[in-house]
């Protein structure tokens, strides 16, 4: 049966590095606190780079690696919650920047789960026979949504993008799984511009990120193992068959806890948040590209991708490389 194969990966992070010590100069925090609670040592912060610029660089690399011309892309899905514009959508900006003239494109909003939801959506189009080749990109500039006076959130996030090219093939995605729980939406939010129309007689206000860290932590360590187990059971695959669990890079303690709950060896959970922090939609493809370029993935390897975040949303994809 036709499925969806990842045939190329790419990534881009902004030039500017901000270390934990740099943040200790703007809020009451320190390197030891941030490292021990999160595993984060530094992050990239966009200055000149826009969301679509980062996304387009990652997309170009992925296409190059796959040896696919931009004109051959049918669909561009951008997972983001920090686009450059309300409209046009980021996917249209990327289309223009890379010359993917034949592609339809739109954005998917599911915060840190966005990349997995977008990949699963591309898979649905490919499996239905509607499209053959898709670019799935995760790109976020959360630095513009952060309250830089709130030490509880501003130390956790960074900017970055990752991309994959997927194509119809006889092996690749084995199974997909997605969940949402809007009743818990309040634990991780970022308001959009508020209504400030003439009838209200006030100016619109900007939204900033708010988070109940402990609730998000509890959610992640419960729901991620659960969804991975569901996904593997439904696809008659054992935990032992999985070469790597490529999890959203929010926090190393979440990853350790998920590994423990799954009774899976921590060496199967690659991590790079030490250098990038939580890049939201960018994190999974950024890590996947790093693994791919290091030669960590061999044909036939089974890997699980899993994202979790605001919504609340969580999702997972079982892939044969
Ligand atoms: N530096 C120093 N101290 C900080 C701090 C910082 N950057 N941020 C918070 N603190 C303080 C708190 O104010 C609190 O002080 P208090 O006891 O005097 O009130 C203390 O540290 C403990 O805060 P708490 O929130 O209980 O810490 P925690 O152990 O739960 O760790 C997180 C906080 C955010 C690291 C943790 O909850 C977490 O990782 N949550 C998940 C967040 C996440 O990954 N979100 C994105 C998901 S997609």
């Amino acid at each position: 049966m036709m499925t969806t194969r990842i045939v190329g990966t790419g990534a881009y992070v902004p030039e500017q590095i901000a270390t934990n010590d740099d943040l200790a100069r703007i809020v009451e925090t320190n390197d030891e606190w941030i490292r021990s609670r999160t595993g984060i040592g530094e992050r990239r912060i966009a200055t000149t780079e826009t969301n679509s610029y980062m996304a387009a660089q990652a997309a170009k690399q992925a296409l190059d690696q796959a040896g696919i011309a931009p004109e051959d892309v049918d669909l561009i899905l951008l997972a983001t919650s920090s686009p450059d514009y309300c409209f046009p959508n980021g996917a249209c900006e990327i289309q223009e920047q890379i010359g993917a003239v034949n592609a339809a494109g739109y954005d998917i909003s599911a915060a840190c789960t966005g990349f997995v939801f977008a990949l699963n959506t591309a898979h649905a189009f490919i499996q239905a026979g509607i499209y053959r080749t898709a670019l799935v990109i995760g790109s976020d500039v959360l630095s513009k949504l952060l309250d830089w006076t709130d030490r509880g959130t501003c130390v956790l996030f960074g900017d970055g993008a990752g991309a994959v090219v997927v194509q119809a093939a006889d092996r690749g995605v084995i199974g997909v799984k997605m969940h949402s729980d809007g009743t818990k939406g309040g634990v991780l939010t970022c308001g959009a511009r508020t209504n400030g129309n003439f009838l209200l007689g006030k100016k619109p206000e900007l939204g900033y990120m708010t988070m109940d860290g402990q609730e998000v932590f509890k959610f992640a360590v419960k729901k991620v193992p659960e969804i991975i187990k569901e996904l593997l059971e439904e696809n008659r695959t054992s935990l032992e068959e999985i070469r790597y669990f490529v999890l959203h890079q929010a926090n190393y303690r979440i990853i350790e806890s998920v590994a423990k709950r799954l009774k899976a060896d921590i060496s199967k959970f690659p991590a790079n948040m030490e250098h990038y922090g939580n890049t939201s939609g960018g994190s999974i493809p950024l890590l996947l590209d790093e693994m791919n370029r290091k030669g960590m993935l061999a044909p036939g390897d089974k890997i699980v991708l899993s994202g979790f975040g605001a919504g609340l949303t969580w999702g997972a994809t079982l892939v044969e490389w």
Side-chain angles (χ1 to χ4, degrees):
M1 198 176 66
M2 213 31 111
T3 186
T4 305
R5 184 161 175 230
I6 297 174
V7 293
T9 63
Y12 183 88
V13 290
E15 295 283 325
Q16 289 285 330
I17 297 173
T19 64
N20 292 343
D21 288 337
D22 290 332
L23 298 193
R25 284 193 272 279
I26 59 163
V27 288
E28 184 79 30
T29 190
N30 58 72
D31 182 61
E32 200 279 323
W33 193 96
I34 302 171
R35 271 185 202 273
S36 62
R37 291 212 178 36
T38 69
I40 298 166
E42 60 187 25
R43 71 285 294 139
R44 302 299 181 104
I45 304 283
T47 50
T48 55
E49 301 91 349
T50 62
N51 184 312
S52 68
Y53 175 80
M54 298 197 307
Q57 301 309 305
K60 278 185 204 165
Q61 273 186 16
L63 287 172
D64 265 6
Q65 191 186 66
I68 291 171
E71 308 83 63
D72 293 334
V73 176
D74 305 315
L75 176 70
I76 300 172
L77 295 179
L78 173 66
T80 192
S81 36
S82 52
D84 299 329
Y85 298 97
C86 292
F87 45 84
N89 66 42
C92 285
E93 287 187 273
I94 297 162
Q95 180 211 33
E96 193 267 331
Q97 290 176 41
I98 67 173
V101 291
N102 297 310
Y106 56 94
D107 298 359
I108 287 183
S109 167
C112 304
T113 317
F115 178 79
V116 168
F117 276 17
L119 179 63
N120 292 353
T121 304
H123 172 60
F125 276 113
I126 286 175
Q127 211 173 31
I130 296 169
Y131 294 125
R132 243 192 83 72
T133 304
L135 256 173
V136 181
I137 307 162
S139 180
D140 267 307
V141 187
L142 288 196
S143 65
K144 67 179 174 178
L145 305 179
L146 289 169
D147 172 354
W148 287 99
T149 64
D150 175 14
R151 67 177 182 176
T153 51
C154 76
V155 302
L156 304 175
F157 298 91
D159 301 332
V164 299
V165 190
V166 295
Q167 222 165 26
D170 55 9
R171 74 156 202 276
V173 172
I174 297 169
V176 302
K177 200 86 205 152
M178 305 196 273
H179 289 299
S180 299
D181 180 4
T183 66
K184 303 267 171 57
V187 304
L188 184 50
T189 74
C190 180
R193 175 207 276 230
T194 61
N195 197 348
N197 67 42
F198 76 101
L199 291 176
L200 293 164
K202 58 181 183 190
K203 289 239 182 312
E205 285 161 18
L206 299 178
Y208 290 92
M209 188 188 298
T210 68
M211 182 180 75
D212 180 337
Q214 291 186 5
E215 282 304 312
V216 174
F217 194 96
K218 279 191 266 177
F219 147 71
V221 301
K222 179 163 189 286
K223 293 300 184 184
V224 174
E226 236 172 64
I227 198 171
I228 291 175
K229 280 186 191 156
E230 281 173 36
L231 177 70
L232 295 181
E233 263 164 38
E234 277 175 22
N235 293 284
R236 285 175 225 86
T237 303
S238 70
L239 271 162
E240 291 68 39
E241 287 174 70
I242 303 304
R243 181 85 180 83
Y244 291 113
F245 297 89
V246 184
L247 266 47
H248 167 51
Q249 301 286 294
N251 177 318
Y252 196 65
R253 278 165 57 221
I254 292 179
I255 292 190
E256 281 177 325
S257 178
V258 170
K260 204 165 151 200
R261 285 178 192 223
L262 285 174
K263 299 190 179 69
D265 198 289
I266 189 73
S267 66
K268 289 185 169 185
F269 293 75
N272 67 359
M273 81 281 282
E274 186 185 356
H275 298 294
Y276 304 117
N278 177 346
T279 56
S280 196
S283 88
I284 290 175
L286 198 60
L287 179 59
L288 195 62
D289 180 60
E290 197 172 294
M291 294 167 66
N292 190 20
R293 284 174 200 271
K294 280 187 186 158
M296 288 167 69
L297 298 162
D301 279 352
K302 285 182 184 164
I303 61 174
V304 169
L305 312 181
S306 182
F308 51 91
L312 295 172
T313 53
W314 61 110
T317 314
L318 174 59
V319 178
E320 183 179 343
W321 196 256

